[in-house]
Structure formats: structure tokens, C-alpha cells
């Protein structure tokens, strides 16, 4: 698959979204908010991992695959920046230390011990938000996170 | 539907918006895209005609006496804040309850809560709704407010944190807001 993006482990693409007000009365002539995207390689790795782990743990993806996609990208983003897929639904004082320590590296201890995933990535069948799927394609991830 | 409480322009995104400028600037060049720059009111009035006839250059800002007032809070919508705009806005809310959604870019449950939070803001017009991206830039504020689980919702009254809801629990959030609102 041809890709224009460098495959270095710390590579990222920047999507520029314009936030000028509709009436053009923004203080800045052109407001740029850079949204850092995880590398495709890491997204693919975390996608495969998620499918595999859902099967292994008997859990299912959210009915809204957008949620699944966002979390997978969050895991990929941390894998790029920290070398480990730290949980994207927690706030950390020292991210590198946490990544080294491992409690919150996906699959985190609460997930491994009690199948508790507050990211809504891995959902037990009794969960209201659980769908019936344990697969998600790269296209699904791309499409549902296209507007970010 | 947002309800503006003052004449200030809508953008709260950038830290520089603490300055309120007059909504209808007195000096406005015909080709300006950003209608603000520094000049005094009296001189801009006098030079208005000149600027226009000269075919206008750049942007002009009129600093009116409204500049000293400070930020104004918006109700009926969710306002994005950062480490610089947060406390001034909380202060400006006066005795109104303030609820802030502390989220991160790649948190799935945050995306689930966002539209519900937005709808709630349109319904409860006596509560100020804010959202804070807990990224590297806003880390000092996130640390000050205290957050482990993302999303976390903090409810403030009179510039003090009075309640907190951790996780994407909408019903808990509504209950907490109602409690503070009616206290």
C-alpha cells in the first residue's frame, strides 16, 4: 500500500482545520488549530490488537464504532509518543513514568482483572452499549474520525 | 441558541479575547478581514475618512472603554476555555453555577458526552457551560482542578469547586448540576 507518510515511529500528520468565524470577524486573519494524528502504522497495530483482545476476552465493540475508532487512535497516539499504548481516557501527571510503570497500558489492569474498560473499547455482552462485533476495519476508523 | 449578555464579540477561543472591543468598530478599513487594531477613538474618527479614501490599509482596532470590563460569560452554549481564560470566566459568572467538561482529544466516552453536554447547555440558561481540553498546554490548570478519569465534570459556584462527576455519566451529571443550581 502506497503511503506518502514517513513510517518513523514518531511520525505524525497534522490536519489543519480552520476556525475562522463565519462572518470573517476573527481577531486572527487565519486561525489554525493543528490536530495531531497518530501514525497509520500505530493505528493499524492497535486496530489489530483491539480485534484480537476483544476475541480473547469475550468482549464486544461499542454499537457506535466512532467511539471504538477514537479510542484506537488514542492508543496509537500514545504508542507513538510514549512507546506504549497508555489509556487515552485518563489524565496523567507524568506520562512517561506511567507508561513505564504499566498499570494503565492497554490492556490495563482493571480490564485484565475485571473486564472493566471505561474507554468503552471492550464491552461485556451485558453492557447497554455493547454491539455484536469484534472487528473494525481501517476504513471504518478513518471514516468515523474524518472530521477531527 | 446562544444568548449574549453583552456587546462583546463571540470568540473565547484565544487567550487574547479577554479584551472586549466594540462590536461596531468606529474605524474600519474597507479591505480589512480582522477589524481590530490599536488606535484611539478620537483619532480614528478623524482619520476614518482619510483611511477610506486612501484605499484603506490593514486592520484597525478601536479600544473602547469596554476593554477594561473583562470577559463576559455566554449561556445557551458550551464555551471552550484554556488555562488563561478559565478563571476570569468563572469569576465573571458571578453567582451562577459553572460546569466544566474536562476532556481529552482521543477519549471515546468524551465524544459520547459532548453532544449531550451541548444540548444541556441550550436548556439550562442559568448555568454556564465550559469545556477544557486537558492537553499539554492546559496541564497546569488540569492539575489545579484535579483530574484522573477522563471525562471529569467539575461544578463550581462562586469560583469554588463544589461538585465533581467522573466518567461519562450523564444522569449523574444532570443530578449534580440540579443540586448546585438550586442550592
Amino acid at each position: 500500500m502506497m503511503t506518502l507518510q514517513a513510517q518513523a515511529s514518531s511520525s505524525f500528520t497534522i490536519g489543519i482545520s480552520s476556525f475562522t468565524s463565519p462572518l470573517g470577524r476573527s481577531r486572527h486573519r487565519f486561525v489554525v488549530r493543528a490536530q495531531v494524528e497518530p501514525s497509520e502504522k500505530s493505528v493499524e497495530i492497535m486496530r489489530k490488537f483491539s480485534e484480537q483482545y476483544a476475541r480473547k476476552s469475550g468482549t464486544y465493540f461499542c454499537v457506535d464504532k466512532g467511539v471504538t475508532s477514537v479510542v484506537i487512535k488514542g492508543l496509537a497516539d500514545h504508542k507513538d509518543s510514549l512507546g506504549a499504548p497508555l489509556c487515552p481516557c485518563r489524565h496523567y501527571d507524568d506520562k512517561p513514568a506511567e507508561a513505564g510503570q504499566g498499570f494503565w497500558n492497554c490492556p490495563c489492569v482493571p480490564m485484565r482483572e475485571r473486564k472493566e474498560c471505561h474507554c468503552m473499547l471492550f464491552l461485556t455482552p451485558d453492557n447497554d452499549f455493547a454491539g455484536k462485533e469484534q472487528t473494525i476495519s481501517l476504513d471504518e476508523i478513518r471514516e468515523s474520525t474524518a472530521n477531527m | 441558541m446562544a444568548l449574549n449578555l453583552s456587546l462583546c464579540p463571540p470568540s473565547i477561543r484565544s487567550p487574547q479575547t479577554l479584551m472586549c472591543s466594540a462590536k461596531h468598530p468606529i474605524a474600519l478599513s474597507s479591505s480589512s478581514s480582522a477589524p481590530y487594531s490599536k488606535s484611539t477613538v478620537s483619532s480614528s474618527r478623524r482619520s476614518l475618512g482619510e483611511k477610506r479614501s486612501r484605499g484603506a490599509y490593514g486592520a484597525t482596532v478601536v479600544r473602547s472603554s469596554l476593554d477594561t470590563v473583562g470577559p463576559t460569560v455566554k449561556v445557551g452554549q458550551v464555551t471552550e476555555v484554556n488555562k488563561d481564560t478559565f478563571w476570569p470566566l468563572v469569576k465573571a459568572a458571578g453567582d451562577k453555577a459553572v460546569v466544566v467538561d474536562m476532556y481529552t482529544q482521543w477519549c471515546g466516552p468524551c465524544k459520547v458526552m459532548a453532544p449531550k453536554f451541548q444540548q444541556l447547555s441550550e436548556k439550562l440558561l442559568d448555568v454556564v457551560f465550559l469545556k477544557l481540553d486537558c492537553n499539554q498546554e492546559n496541564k497546569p490548570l488540569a492539575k489545579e482542578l484535579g483530574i484522573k478519569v477522563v471525562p471529569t465534570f467539575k461544578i463550581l459556584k462562586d469560583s469554588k469547586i463544589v461538585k465533581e462527576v467522573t466518567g461519562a455519566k450523564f444522569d449523574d451529571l444532570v443530578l449534580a448540576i440540579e443540586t448546585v443550581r438550586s442550592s
Side-chain angles (χ1 to χ4, degrees), chain A residues 19 24-29 33 35-38 67 70-71 73-74 88-93 118-120 148, chain B residues 10 13-14 16-17 19 33-36 104-109 111-112 134 139 142-143 147-150:
Chain A
F19 275 84
R25 286 194 293 122
S26 168
R27 284 188 70 93
H28 314 276
R29 281 189 208 97
R33 185 166 289 177
Q35 298 269 38
V36 179
E37 286 270 333
V67 173
V70 167
V71 177
K73 278 201 165 175
C89 306
R90 289 225 24 126
H91 185 80
Y92 311 91
D93 199 42
H118 68 276
C119 282
M120 295 171 68
M148 296 190 182
Chain B
R13 287 183 193 280
S14 86
Q16 292 148 316
T17 54
M19 264 197 327
S33 53
Y36 309 111
T104 54
Q105 183 187 6
W106 296 117
C107 157
K111 307 288 183 211
V112 173
C134 298
K139 196 172 168 185
K143 188 167 183 173
I147 172 173
K148 289 278 176 223
V149 177
V150 182

Side-chain angles (χ1 to χ4, degrees), chain B residues 45-120:
Chain B
R45 265 203 196 122
R46 196 171 13 113
S47 62
L48 174 61
E50 290 167 22
K51 273 185 182 167
R52 280 188 173 165
S53 66
R54 257 188 250 139
Y57 56 90
T60 51
V61 155
V62 177
R63 270 181 146 182
S64 69
S65 59
L66 287 175
D67 283 345
T68 52
V69 167
T72 41
V73 290
K74 302 268 170 17
V75 289
Q77 65 177 61
V78 181
T79 306
E80 178 94 55
V81 292
N82 59 38
K83 67 179 194 298
D84 300 315
T85 57
F86 177 73
W87 286 117
L89 272 172
V90 169
K91 191 171 172 198
D95 60 358
K96 279 201 214 66
V98 176
V99 55
V100 55
D101 173 4
M102 301 173 73
Y103 69 97
T104 54
Q105 183 187 6
W106 296 117
C107 157
C110 299
K111 307 288 183 211
V112 173
M113 284 298 280
K116 295 181 184 177
F117 197 66
Q118 170 73 31
Q119 280 160 25
L120 199 58

Side-chain angles (χ1 to χ4, degrees), chain A residues 2-67:
Chain A
M2 274 267 280
T3 172
L4 296 173
Q5 186 188 340
Q7 289 294 307
S9 60
S10 60
S11 70
F12 51 85
T13 51
I14 296 184
I16 308 281
S17 40
S18 166
F19 275 84
T20 50
S21 70
L23 300 174
R25 286 194 293 122
S26 168
R27 284 188 70 93
H28 314 276
R29 281 189 208 97
F30 189 82
V31 177
V32 171
R33 185 166 289 177
Q35 298 269 38
V36 179
E37 286 270 333
S39 67
E40 279 205 10
K41 183 178 174 186
S42 290
V43 172
E44 179 57 18
I45 289 172
M46 296 321 300
R47 185 192 68 82
K48 283 223 178 78
F49 154 76
S50 300
E51 288 188 333
Q52 206 174 47
Y53 197 79
R55 272 197 311 272
K56 177 178 163 184
S57 61
T59 53
Y60 294 85
F61 293 148
C62 185
V63 277
D64 177 358
K65 289 284 195 64
V67 173

Side-chain angles (χ1 to χ4, degrees), chain A residues 67-109:
Chain A
V67 173
T68 315
S69 304
V70 167
V71 177
I72 287 175
K73 278 201 165 175
L75 291 168
D77 181 62
H78 279 155
K79 185 146 168 63
D80 283 340
S81 59
L82 305 162
L86 210 56
C87 176
C89 306
R90 289 225 24 126
H91 185 80
Y92 311 91
D93 199 42
D94 184 341
K95 278 189 173 182
E98 292 276 1
Q101 202 272 331
F103 188 98
W104 289 111
N105 283 349
C106 188
C108 64
V109 170

Side-chain angles (χ1 to χ4, degrees), chain B residues 111-130:
Chain B
K111 307 288 183 211
V112 173
M113 284 298 280
K116 295 181 184 177
F117 197 66
Q118 170 73 31
Q119 280 160 25
L120 199 58
S121 76
E122 289 161 6
K123 222 176 71 173
L124 304 177
L125 299 177
D126 58 341
V127 178
V128 177
F129 285 75
L130 307 174

